[in-house]
Amino acid sequence: MTFQTLDDLDDGQRVLVRLDLNSPVEDGTVHDNRRFDRHAETVNELVDRGFEVAVLAHQGRPGRDDFVSLAQHAEILADHIDHDVDFVDETYGPQAIHDIADLDGGDVLVLENTRMCDDELPEENPEVKSQTEFVQTLKDEFDAYINDAYSAAHRSHASLVGFPLVMDAYAGRVMETEYEANTAIAEKEFDGQVTMVVGGTKATDVIDVMTHLDEKVDDFLLGGIAGELFLRAAGYPVGYDIDDANLYDEQWEANSEKIETMLEDHRDQITLAVDLAYEDDGDRAEQAVDDIEEKSVSYLDVGSETVMEYSPVIRDSEAVFVKGALGMFEDERFSVGTAGVLEAIADTDCFSVVGGGDTSRAIEMYGMEEDEFGHVSIAGGAYIRALTGAELVGVKVLQR
């Protein structure tokens, strides 16, 4: 790791801290999520060490229903750190500058949604972002900049990449731990078996991850829509759209050659589902893949036999990484695959990282504890990029 962390920062300074508090919004109400709890660790440490803290964060995108003020986020953050958190409805206007100047040691101030600034959103080079009015106005108000928003580190936005070019810059605790865990598969050496559970809805993501990690991973356990497309490539009559669905055929057309090549070149590393689950009169039903003559139902999970085959592989592994769900786990009937492999990981003394979109939500939903896993990532797009070896621009500027 080649960036500075909070361990390198002297106490009691005024700091600008970038968090990722982006949350679900329903009817204008911001919902609490695990990101608040994670970032609270960084904020609490800064408060305890007497820093004057101003928080930058984003919410939604212009034109969408979830594009709202951060006023509610300030209240939620206050609950998580058990400390007063003030809010100002400007990001770098006169009132924001005034409130920043009024900060005392241990104070926390949330600035308004960064995406309400014209300078924030366009994806541009860090050098361009560092010269924006947004960055140039705030940089002289602080002693240091701290980026804790690993989950947004793949975005070249002003609040993420501009400040490190013009200020002393440090990684917060979330940035530090996410980076270490999510790059471990590429950077750590494991003596025993390395297994990766790969699912989700995007075949391209799965192919990119598997292609990049084919020399690091001994066994890929497949599920989800991507897993069904691999079954199609293996000659089974699944992985097709039926009725009005639009999940498979377009992805197959775009990725079939790569999937077929991967199966041909790495068949001994790829384990496919042996049965699939579907809805039958409101209940869960399962069908062996070998018994499917024609796809006539939508498959919503891998089957119980598949979980029984995947679990021993996990238990024999020294390291297990999870990218994506094996089924529609939000519906308890179709949680067997995702919850089953997570339970096997929790029961195994191995190095483990769980991430990829909302997959990690299944841990809490099905009665498991985060401390049963090595690391549970709150990152989506950044996690995928880390697994595929793609550059994270928000990390790169910290490493300068």
Side-chain angles (χ1 to χ4, degrees):
M1 182 166 56
T2 56
F3 45 64
Q4 299 183 106
T5 71
L6 300 188
D7 296 330
D8 303 302
L9 188 57
D10 291 335
D11 294 351
Q13 300 186 64
R14 180 179 296 162
V15 290
L16 182 63
V17 185
R18 180 56 158 96
L19 309 181
D20 184 359
L21 303 179
N22 197 40
S23 304
V25 177
E26 186 175 357
D27 296 328
T29 299
V30 176
H31 290 263
D32 196 348
N33 67 25
R34 292 167 52 252
R35 287 176 174 170
F36 285 94
D37 193 51
R38 288 288 182 84
H39 287 300
E41 178 185 355
T42 296
V43 178
N44 270 326
E45 178 177 344
L46 295 172
V47 169
D48 291 344
R49 290 172 56 182
F51 286 92
E52 303 167 15
V53 180
V55 172
L56 287 174
H58 73 276
Q59 174 61 54
R61 281 183 177 270
R64 299 182 182 177
D65 291 340
D66 63 348
F67 184 58
V68 299
S69 168
L70 297 189
Q72 294 179 64
H73 298 69
E75 296 177 3
I76 298 171
L77 181 61
D79 290 338
H80 279 270
I81 67 173
D82 194 24
H83 187 282
D84 289 342
V85 174
D86 292 325
F87 170 74
V88 58
D89 61 357
E90 293 178 352
T91 310
Y92 64 94
Q95 187 61 51
I97 300 301
H98 175 272
D99 290 358
I100 290 167
D102 270 358
L103 288 170
D104 290 323
D107 287 348
V108 181
L109 171 68
V110 172
L111 306 175
E112 185 56 284
N113 190 343
T114 60
R115 291 184 175 175
M116 292 181 179
C117 301
D118 292 339
D119 292 337
E120 170 75 344
L121 268 183
E123 294 272 351
E124 298 172 306
N125 289 334
E127 289 76 9
V128 174
K129 291 302 188 186
S130 70
Q131 297 305 309
T132 59
E133 181 183 6
F134 174 21
V135 171
Q136 290 294 316
T137 300
L138 285 182
K139 71 179 179 66
D140 293 330
E141 303 297 323
F142 297 92
D143 300 305
Y145 167 83
I146 299 168
N147 192 348
D148 208 32
Y150 178 87
S151 51
H154 55 301
R155 303 295 189 191
S156 191
H157 296 159
S159 63
L160 297 159
V161 301
F163 291 102
L165 271 60
V166 294
M167 299 173 64
D168 288 337
Y170 302 79
R173 297 308 184 195
V174 172
M175 175 68 76
E176 182 182 359
T177 56
E178 288 273 1
Y179 178 81
E180 288 178 350
N182 296 340
T183 57
I185 194 168
E187 297 182 356
K188 285 175 72 86
E189 292 294 330
F190 298 102
D191 295 328
Q193 177 170 298
V194 177
T195 298
M196 187 158 202
V197 181
V198 192
T201 61
K202 297 178 181 178
T204 301
D205 282 352
V206 169
I207 293 166
D208 289 347
V209 168
M210 293 175 68
T211 300
H212 183 70
L213 298 176
D214 62 337
E215 295 182 2
K216 291 281 186 176
V217 175
D218 300 296
D219 204 341
F220 293 98
L221 309 179
L222 267 64
I225 288 174
E228 198 173 327
L229 290 172
F230 271 78
L231 284 169
R232 176 173 173 174
Y236 294 97
V238 297
Y240 298 85
D241 287 325
I242 60 172
D243 301 325
D244 295 327
N246 185 26
L247 298 170
Y248 297 94
D249 291 340
E250 189 174 310
Q251 291 202 64
W252 174 259
E253 187 174 328
N255 298 289
S256 58
E257 289 186 19
K258 291 181 180 178
I259 294 174
E260 289 168 343
T261 299
M262 187 162 293
L263 269 179
E264 183 178 341
D265 294 346
H266 302 283
R267 190 65 185 88
D268 60 336
Q269 292 173 261
I270 298 173
T271 304
L272 302 176
V274 297
D275 58 348
L276 298 170
Y278 60 96
E279 184 177 9
D280 183 25
D281 289 332
D283 296 321
R284 177 189 175 98
E286 299 184 349
Q287 186 174 21
V289 171
D290 286 335
D291 294 339
I292 300 173
E293 297 180 358
E294 180 182 1
K295 183 174 180 180
S296 59
V297 295
S298 294
Y299 296 109
L300 304 174
D301 192 14
V302 297
S304 303
E305 288 296 322
T306 298
V307 177
M308 290 179 66
E309 290 202 3
Y310 286 4
S311 295
V313 177
I314 291 169
R315 293 192 175 98
D316 289 340
S317 299
E318 182 187 353
V320 182
F321 295 81
V322 179
K323 183 272 153 196
L326 299 189
M328 198 173 71
F329 70 86
E330 295 88 350
D331 185 329
E332 188 173 1
R333 295 171 299 172
F334 304 107
S335 65
V336 171
T338 303
V341 297
L342 289 174
E343 287 166 356
I345 296 169
D347 291 340
T348 303
D349 184 18
C350 65
F351 179 90
S352 60
V353 180
V354 178
D358 290 333
T359 311
S360 55
R361 282 200 298 122
I363 292 172
E364 182 178 354
M365 285 180 67
Y366 296 103
M368 292 168 271
E369 300 291 336
E370 285 195 13
D371 59 12
E372 296 177 283
F373 303 86
H375 180 70
V376 179
S377 179
I378 58 173
Y383 179 65
I384 298 300
R385 282 169 170 78
L387 294 178
T388 59
E391 180 179 279
L392 294 174
V393 63
V395 173
K396 184 179 179 181
V397 293
L398 286 180
Q399 292 173 329
R400 290 191 176 187

